[in-house]
Amino acid sequence: MKPGILAIDIGGTGLKATVVNERGRMLVERVRVPTPHPCPPKVLLATVKSMTADLPPFDRISVGFPGVVRDGRVLTAPNLDTSLWARFSLGPAISRAFGGLPTRVLNDADMQGLALISGRGLEFVMTLGTGVGTALFREGELMPHMELAHHPIHKNKTYDEYLGEAARKTVGKKQWNRRVHRALELVDMLFTPDRIFVGGGNAARLEVPSDGHIAIGSNDAGLQGGAALWREPRRR
């Protein structure tokens, strides 16, 4: 079998990995382990190496990371402790851990969005998990990453604090749904997107209208999007 792409989705609660082909199809069931806490780079690298030991062959690696990533280097990691991660060159470190295999790292919401979008018009992606992730695409092209999750949405609460897992458990499903819908209304006012995709572990808890403007994405999209990191950019 031709080597695939190792896709790794790093979350504040769980670490997931699988091997996908160039179209993003999973070649094997994903493996998942709880995210260690604390989770400094050394611990994360050892955990990822261990959990992927039995996966099929791969010759490239894609990583979705929950924070701002630029040129393979972590700038922020709010759910893993930025003080442990700031300025850490995650891409080169993952590559070294796997014998020098080519590695590309992207924000986790951006990577998930690559598997969800249609590639037409202006599309917004929101991921709901431990925290909140966002990504914006125009005609299939990823726009500069925004950390909307850390912008205030209600009084002194950020999107993360208002919609994240801790908030969901505190206010309950009904009130949490209202909060998410309020956030999506603000997204519509800010961007007027043609479509909104909602992903992440808590997306299945969201009740969405049937008008087709908002769609729930597969929880595997955070891995399947890893294939897109290795595609040639589309020529305009």
Side-chain angles (χ1 to χ4, degrees), residues 27-233:
L27 302 180
V28 65
E29 284 293 317
R30 71 181 188 185
V31 293
R32 184 189 186 281
V33 299
T35 302
H37 286 284
C39 190
K42 184 177 180 180
V43 171
L44 177 73
L45 291 168
T47 304
V48 167
K49 185 71 173 173
S50 174
M51 69 184 288
T52 58
D54 295 326
L55 291 179
F58 50 87
D59 58 9
R60 291 162 289 173
I61 303 172
S62 296
V63 183
F65 185 85
V68 177
V69 180
R70 193 163 296 153
D71 298 324
R73 174 177 289 188
V74 174
L75 301 184
T76 68
N79 292 317
L80 297 178
D81 190 344
T82 295
S83 68
L84 299 174
W85 283 91
R87 298 180 298 279
F88 181 73
S89 295
L90 179 59
I94 291 279
S95 177
R96 287 193 299 271
F98 287 91
L101 289 182
T103 301
R104 294 179 179 174
V105 184
L106 196 65
N107 170 268
D108 57 342
D110 292 344
M111 191 160 111
Q112 185 164 156
L114 288 167
L116 296 176
I117 61 170
S118 69
R120 300 185 304 274
L122 192 67
E123 299 177 286
F124 184 87
V125 176
M126 176 178 285
T127 61
L128 300 170
T130 305
V132 178
T134 60
L136 184 66
F137 299 83
R138 184 179 63 188
E139 300 297 335
E141 182 180 353
L142 178 63
M143 297 291 96
H145 182 72
M146 298 174 296
E147 281 291 83
L148 189 61
H150 306 300
H151 190 275
I153 181 174
H154 180 73
K155 297 182 179 179
N156 63 338
K157 292 185 181 294
T158 64
Y159 280 69
D160 256 0
E161 294 165 334
Y162 195 62
L163 305 176
E165 175 68 354
R168 184 192 67 80
K169 288 182 176 179
T170 299
V171 303
K173 181 179 179 180
K174 186 175 182 179
Q175 181 62 24
W176 179 79
N177 262 265
R178 288 175 181 167
R179 289 185 174 191
V180 176
H181 281 280
R182 172 57 178 158
L184 295 177
E185 287 172 0
L186 291 174
V187 165
D188 267 326
M189 286 189 284
L190 282 169
F191 303 108
T192 318
D194 297 298
R195 283 166 297 281
I196 296 175
F197 296 93
V198 183
N202 280 334
R205 306 177 191 274
L206 183 65
E207 298 170 2
V208 300
S210 58
D211 61 7
H213 175 54
I214 301 173
I216 302 297
S218 166
N219 197 27
D220 290 330
L223 296 167
Q224 294 165 334
L229 272 64
W230 295 97
R231 293 176 191 149
E232 289 296 324

